[in-house]
Amino acid sequence: MEGPDDSEVTFALHSASVFCVSLDPKTNTLAVTGGEDDKAFVWRLGDGELLFECAGHKDSVTCAGFSHDSTLVATGDMSGLLKVWQVDTKEEVWSFEAGDLEWMEWHPRAPVLLAGTADGNTWMWKVPNGDCKTFQGPNCPATCGRVLPDGKRAVVGYEDGTIRIWDLKQGNPIHVLKGTEGHQGPLTCVATNQDGSLILTGSVDCQAKLVSATTGKVVGVFRPETVASQPSLGEGEESESNSVESLGFCSVMPLAAVGYLDGTLAIYDLSTQTLRHQCQHQSGIVQLLWEAGTAVVYTCSLDGVVRLWDARTGRLLTDYRGHTAEILDFALSKDASLVVTTSGDHKAKVFCVQRPDR
C-alpha cells in the first residue's frame, strides 16, 4: 500500500494502531486520538504539534472526544476507564471506572458524558462533579448510542438487536423496539437527522432501519439490493459475512447513506424509500460522514483511502491517499476543509480538501 501521500500533516507519536479521532467543535484546530498503545494525545491540526498526553490508560484507547464547548476532552479505554481533562490547563479533572467500554459520547449542549458498556448499561455523568445516572438495558452489551439533538433523549442499540429510546431526565425507556421491530443481530451504528425526528440504525443483520423518534415505530427498512440476486448457497457453503458499518443523514436533501462491510455505499431516497445510487469500493467501508450543507459523502475504508462521493449522481469526486494500512476512524472539520484520519499504520493524518466548486 505504499504510494502517494496526499496528506498535509502526519501525527506519528502513537506506537500501534490509532483507533479513534475527534476534533474540537469550537475551533476545529485540535484533534484527540486514541490507540492500541494505551495512549491518547491532544495535538494541533495545523502542524501536528503535541499539546498534551492524556496519560494513565492501561488498555487500548477506543473512544475520545471534546465536550460541546471544547473546554474538556474525554478519553476511554476498552477496560472501561474514562478520564476527562481540562484542555486549557491540560489537567485531569475526572475519572471513573465503568465496565468494558463499547461507546462514549458528549451531550450536545452540556458538560455531560454518556457511555455504553458490555453489561448493558448506559451511563451518564455530570463532569467534573461526577453526578451519575445509569440506564439499565438488557443483559448484553450496549453496542452503540447517540444523544438526540434535543439533548433530552438518547437512542441506544444493543447486542441482542433491540433498540431503546431513553428519557435522560426520567431515566426510563420511552420506546423499546424488539422482535421484528428490532434487528436480527447486534447493532453496529446509529444516527439521527438534524432535527432529531428520524433515527437510522444499522446491524450485522445487513439491515438499516428508519425509526420515528416520536412514535418509536419503524417507518422504513433498507436492505442491500445485491443479496437477493445471489444464487442460493449449496450445502456447507458460507455466505460472505456482510454488515452495516456506518450510516448517516444528508442535511440538505432527504437522503441517507449506508456503508457496508462488503464495500457498498448505498444512497437511499428517504421520501420514496428507494435506492438511488450504489457506489462500490474495492474493500470494506469503515465509516462514512456527510459534509454539512451539501450532498457530499465521505467514506474511509480498509484499503486506507478516503473517498468523496456526490450523492446526487453517485459519482466519485476525489480520493485521498497516504496511509499504508486500513483507516480505522476519521473526522471532518465543520467547513469541510480538513479530513483527519487514523490508521492501523500507527499514524493519524490531516488532509486538505480542495474542491473546484468552492
Tab-separated table of all heavy atoms in Angstrom, residues 149-178:
chain	number	residue	atom	x	y	z
A	149	PRO	N	-30.725	15.351	19.158
A	149	PRO	CA	-30.387	16.789	19.139
A	149	PRO	C	-31.084	17.620	20.219
A	149	PRO	O	-30.566	18.646	20.631
A	149	PRO	CB	-30.845	17.228	17.739
A	149	PRO	CG	-30.765	15.998	16.905
A	149	PRO	CD	-31.113	14.859	17.815
A	150	ASP	N	-32.257	17.172	20.723
A	150	ASP	CA	-32.934	17.944	21.777
A	150	ASP	C	-32.226	17.835	23.124
A	150	ASP	O	-32.547	18.554	24.069
A	150	ASP	CB	-34.409	17.529	21.906
A	150	ASP	CG	-34.587	16.087	22.395
A	150	ASP	OD1	-33.587	15.437	22.775
A	150	ASP	OD2	-35.742	15.609	22.396
A	151	GLY	N	-31.254	16.919	23.222
A	151	GLY	CA	-30.491	16.765	24.461
A	151	GLY	C	-31.273	16.110	25.578
A	151	GLY	O	-30.765	15.943	26.679
A	152	LYS	N	-32.524	15.720	25.312
A	152	LYS	CA	-33.375	15.152	26.363
A	152	LYS	C	-33.525	13.646	26.265
A	152	LYS	O	-33.993	12.999	27.186
A	152	LYS	CB	-34.766	15.794	26.297
A	152	LYS	CG	-34.743	17.279	26.578
A	152	LYS	CD	-36.111	17.909	26.394
A	152	LYS	CE	-36.037	19.395	26.763
A	152	LYS	NZ	-37.186	20.137	26.233
A	153	ARG	N	-33.163	13.107	25.098
A	153	ARG	CA	-33.322	11.673	24.872
A	153	ARG	C	-32.051	11.112	24.252
A	153	ARG	O	-31.263	11.850	23.648
A	153	ARG	CB	-34.498	11.410	23.914
A	153	ARG	CG	-35.856	11.838	24.444
A	153	ARG	CD	-36.897	11.872	23.336
A	153	ARG	NE	-36.592	12.895	22.342
A	153	ARG	CZ	-37.143	12.954	21.124
A	153	ARG	NH1	-38.020	12.042	20.759
A	153	ARG	NH2	-36.820	13.915	20.287
A	154	ALA	N	-31.871	9.808	24.409
A	154	ALA	CA	-30.759	9.132	23.744
A	154	ALA	C	-31.287	7.843	23.154
A	154	ALA	O	-32.173	7.200	23.727
A	154	ALA	CB	-29.635	8.835	24.736
A	155	VAL	N	-30.752	7.476	21.986
A	155	VAL	CA	-31.109	6.192	21.387
A	155	VAL	C	-29.916	5.254	21.558
A	155	VAL	O	-28.776	5.634	21.302
A	155	VAL	CB	-31.527	6.340	19.905
A	155	VAL	CG1	-30.464	7.062	19.087
A	155	VAL	CG2	-31.821	4.974	19.290
A	156	VAL	N	-30.191	4.040	22.057
A	156	VAL	CA	-29.122	3.072	22.329
A	156	VAL	C	-29.471	1.746	21.657
A	156	VAL	O	-30.610	1.280	21.725
A	156	VAL	CB	-28.928	2.862	23.853
A	156	VAL	CG1	-27.789	1.872	24.122
A	156	VAL	CG2	-28.623	4.195	24.542
A	157	GLY	N	-28.486	1.165	20.988
A	157	GLY	CA	-28.653	-0.132	20.341
A	157	GLY	C	-27.888	-1.197	21.109
A	157	GLY	O	-26.852	-0.910	21.727
A	158	TYR	N	-28.375	-2.429	21.061
A	158	TYR	CA	-27.826	-3.497	21.900
A	158	TYR	C	-27.449	-4.719	21.071
A	158	TYR	O	-27.890	-4.892	19.933
A	158	TYR	CB	-28.852	-3.889	22.975
A	158	TYR	CG	-29.189	-2.748	23.903
A	158	TYR	CD1	-30.209	-1.858	23.594
A	158	TYR	CD2	-28.458	-2.538	25.071
A	158	TYR	CE1	-30.510	-0.795	24.436
A	158	TYR	CE2	-28.751	-1.480	25.915
A	158	TYR	CZ	-29.775	-0.609	25.595
A	158	TYR	OH	-30.058	0.461	26.423
A	159	GLU	N	-26.651	-5.584	21.695
A	159	GLU	CA	-26.158	-6.774	21.022
A	159	GLU	C	-27.279	-7.751	20.670
A	159	GLU	O	-27.171	-8.528	19.724
A	159	GLU	CB	-25.107	-7.470	21.900
A	159	GLU	CG	-24.289	-8.507	21.161
A	159	GLU	CD	-23.240	-9.154	22.057
A	159	GLU	OE1	-23.626	-9.931	22.953
A	159	GLU	OE2	-22.048	-8.870	21.862
A	160	ASP	N	-28.385	-7.719	21.409
A	160	ASP	CA	-29.493	-8.646	21.133
A	160	ASP	C	-30.436	-8.120	20.039
A	160	ASP	O	-31.493	-8.703	19.800
A	160	ASP	CB	-30.290	-8.945	22.409
A	160	ASP	CG	-30.967	-7.702	22.992
A	160	ASP	OD1	-30.820	-6.602	22.407
A	160	ASP	OD2	-31.636	-7.835	24.040
A	161	GLY	N	-30.049	-7.031	19.380
A	161	GLY	CA	-30.852	-6.494	18.283
A	161	GLY	C	-31.917	-5.507	18.702
A	161	GLY	O	-32.625	-4.951	17.864
A	162	THR	N	-32.058	-5.265	20.013
A	162	THR	CA	-33.069	-4.324	20.480
A	162	THR	C	-32.553	-2.888	20.445
A	162	THR	O	-31.341	-2.641	20.426
A	162	THR	CB	-33.547	-4.654	21.915
A	162	THR	OG1	-32.426	-4.567	22.805
A	162	THR	CG2	-34.155	-6.048	21.985
A	163	ILE	N	-33.517	-1.968	20.409
A	163	ILE	CA	-33.216	-0.537	20.379
A	163	ILE	C	-34.067	0.121	21.461
A	163	ILE	O	-35.254	-0.190	21.589
A	163	ILE	CB	-33.598	0.078	19.008
A	163	ILE	CG1	-32.879	-0.641	17.857
A	163	ILE	CG2	-33.317	1.577	18.972
A	163	ILE	CD1	-33.613	-0.549	16.520
A	164	ARG	N	-33.454	1.003	22.242
A	164	ARG	CA	-34.213	1.742	23.251
A	164	ARG	C	-33.999	3.234	23.090
A	164	ARG	O	-32.870	3.683	22.878
A	164	ARG	CB	-33.795	1.311	24.671
A	164	ARG	CG	-34.386	-0.036	25.083
A	164	ARG	CD	-33.693	-0.626	26.307
A	164	ARG	NE	-34.285	-1.919	26.672
A	164	ARG	CZ	-34.075	-3.056	26.007
A	164	ARG	NH1	-33.282	-3.057	24.953
A	164	ARG	NH2	-34.655	-4.185	26.394
A	165	ILE	N	-35.089	3.979	23.197
A	165	ILE	CA	-35.007	5.441	23.235
A	165	ILE	C	-35.267	5.855	24.681
A	165	ILE	O	-36.345	5.609	25.223
A	165	ILE	CB	-36.030	6.085	22.276
A	165	ILE	CG1	-35.737	5.638	20.832
A	165	ILE	CG2	-35.957	7.616	22.386
A	165	ILE	CD1	-36.781	6.080	19.818
A	166	TRP	N	-34.224	6.417	25.317
A	166	TRP	CA	-34.281	6.722	26.749
A	166	TRP	C	-34.628	8.180	26.995
A	166	TRP	O	-34.167	9.076	26.282
A	166	TRP	CB	-32.913	6.445	27.392
A	166	TRP	CG	-32.534	4.993	27.430
A	166	TRP	CD1	-31.787	4.311	26.512
A	166	TRP	CD2	-32.876	4.045	28.459
A	166	TRP	NE1	-31.644	2.996	26.909
A	166	TRP	CE2	-32.295	2.803	28.089
A	166	TRP	CE3	-33.611	4.130	29.654
A	166	TRP	CZ2	-32.433	1.656	28.875
A	166	TRP	CZ3	-33.746	2.993	30.430
A	166	TRP	CH2	-33.153	1.771	30.042
A	167	ASP	N	-35.410	8.399	28.048
A	167	ASP	CA	-35.633	9.741	28.582
A	167	ASP	C	-34.501	9.994	29.586
A	167	ASP	O	-34.436	9.347	30.634
A	167	ASP	CB	-36.999	9.798	29.275
A	167	ASP	CG	-37.316	11.179	29.817
A	167	ASP	OD1	-36.419	11.821	30.395
A	167	ASP	OD2	-38.475	11.604	29.687
A	168	LEU	N	-33.615	10.937	29.247
A	168	LEU	CA	-32.410	11.118	30.066
A	168	LEU	C	-32.739	11.697	31.446
A	168	LEU	O	-32.030	11.438	32.413
A	168	LEU	CB	-31.407	12.024	29.338
A	168	LEU	CG	-30.832	11.439	28.039
A	168	LEU	CD1	-29.871	12.423	27.394
A	168	LEU	CD2	-30.124	10.102	28.301
A	169	LYS	N	-33.801	12.487	31.543
A	169	LYS	CA	-34.149	13.090	32.826
A	169	LYS	C	-34.862	12.081	33.729
A	169	LYS	O	-34.507	11.903	34.888
A	169	LYS	CB	-35.049	14.310	32.581
A	169	LYS	CG	-35.107	15.239	33.777
A	169	LYS	CD	-35.759	16.553	33.421
A	169	LYS	CE	-35.630	17.501	34.613
A	169	LYS	NZ	-35.925	18.879	34.251
A	170	GLN	N	-35.882	11.425	33.178
A	170	GLN	CA	-36.668	10.476	33.979
A	170	GLN	C	-35.945	9.147	34.171
A	170	GLN	O	-36.214	8.423	35.137
A	170	GLN	CB	-38.023	10.213	33.310
A	170	GLN	CG	-38.851	11.458	33.030
A	170	GLN	CD	-39.205	12.225	34.297
A	170	GLN	OE1	-39.402	11.616	35.354
A	170	GLN	NE2	-39.249	13.539	34.204
A	171	GLY	N	-35.060	8.805	33.232
A	171	GLY	CA	-34.315	7.550	33.362
A	171	GLY	C	-35.047	6.317	32.864
A	171	GLY	O	-34.615	5.196	33.101
A	172	ASN	N	-36.168	6.525	32.168
A	172	ASN	CA	-36.929	5.363	31.682
A	172	ASN	C	-36.872	5.275	30.159
A	172	ASN	O	-36.702	6.291	29.476
A	172	ASN	CB	-38.388	5.463	32.120
A	172	ASN	CG	-39.044	6.710	31.554
A	172	ASN	OD1	-38.589	7.818	31.810
A	172	ASN	ND2	-40.087	6.546	30.767
A	173	PRO	N	-37.046	4.051	29.601
A	173	PRO	CA	-37.112	3.956	28.141
A	173	PRO	C	-38.487	4.399	27.641
A	173	PRO	O	-39.511	3.890	28.103
A	173	PRO	CB	-36.884	2.465	27.868
A	173	PRO	CG	-37.228	1.755	29.129
A	173	PRO	CD	-37.115	2.736	30.266
A	174	ILE	N	-38.515	5.372	26.727
A	174	ILE	CA	-39.780	5.850	26.158
A	174	ILE	C	-40.289	4.836	25.134
A	174	ILE	O	-41.475	4.586	25.034
A	174	ILE	CB	-39.587	7.228	25.473
A	174	ILE	CG1	-38.835	8.191	26.397
A	174	ILE	CG2	-40.928	7.832	25.077
A	174	ILE	CD1	-38.339	9.439	25.704
A	175	HIS	N	-39.347	4.283	24.350
A	175	HIS	CA	-39.703	3.280	23.349
A	175	HIS	C	-38.702	2.131	23.395
A	175	HIS	O	-37.512	2.360	23.580
A	175	HIS	CB	-39.691	3.881	21.939
A	175	HIS	CG	-40.628	5.029	21.761
A	175	HIS	ND1	-41.996	4.902	21.810
A	175	HIS	CD2	-40.383	6.346	21.539
A	175	HIS	CE1	-42.560	6.088	21.628
A	175	HIS	NE2	-41.606	6.980	21.473
A	176	VAL	N	-39.204	0.906	23.230
A	176	VAL	CA	-38.340	-0.274	23.104
A	176	VAL	C	-38.731	-0.984	21.818
A	176	VAL	O	-39.906	-1.308	21.611
A	176	VAL	CB	-38.509	-1.242	24.301
A	176	VAL	CG1	-37.585	-2.450	24.138
A	176	VAL	CG2	-38.217	-0.519	25.616
A	177	LEU	N	-37.756	-1.189	20.932
A	177	LEU	CA	-38.011	-1.915	19.688
A	177	LEU	C	-37.337	-3.267	19.782
A	177	LEU	O	-36.113	-3.343	19.949
A	177	LEU	CB	-37.476	-1.142	18.477
A	177	LEU	CG	-38.235	0.137	18.087
A	177	LEU	CD1	-37.796	1.317	18.933
A	177	LEU	CD2	-38.008	0.446	16.614
A	178	LYS	N	-38.134	-4.335	19.735
A	178	LYS	CA	-37.547	-5.669	19.804
A	178	LYS	C	-38.318	-6.623	18.899
A	178	LYS	O	-39.323	-6.229	18.283
A	178	LYS	CB	-37.493	-6.176	21.234
A	178	LYS	CG	-38.789	-6.118	22.008
A	178	LYS	CD	-38.521	-6.517	23.452
A	178	LYS	CE	-39.829	-6.577	24.245
A	178	LYS	NZ	-39.588	-6.847	25.650
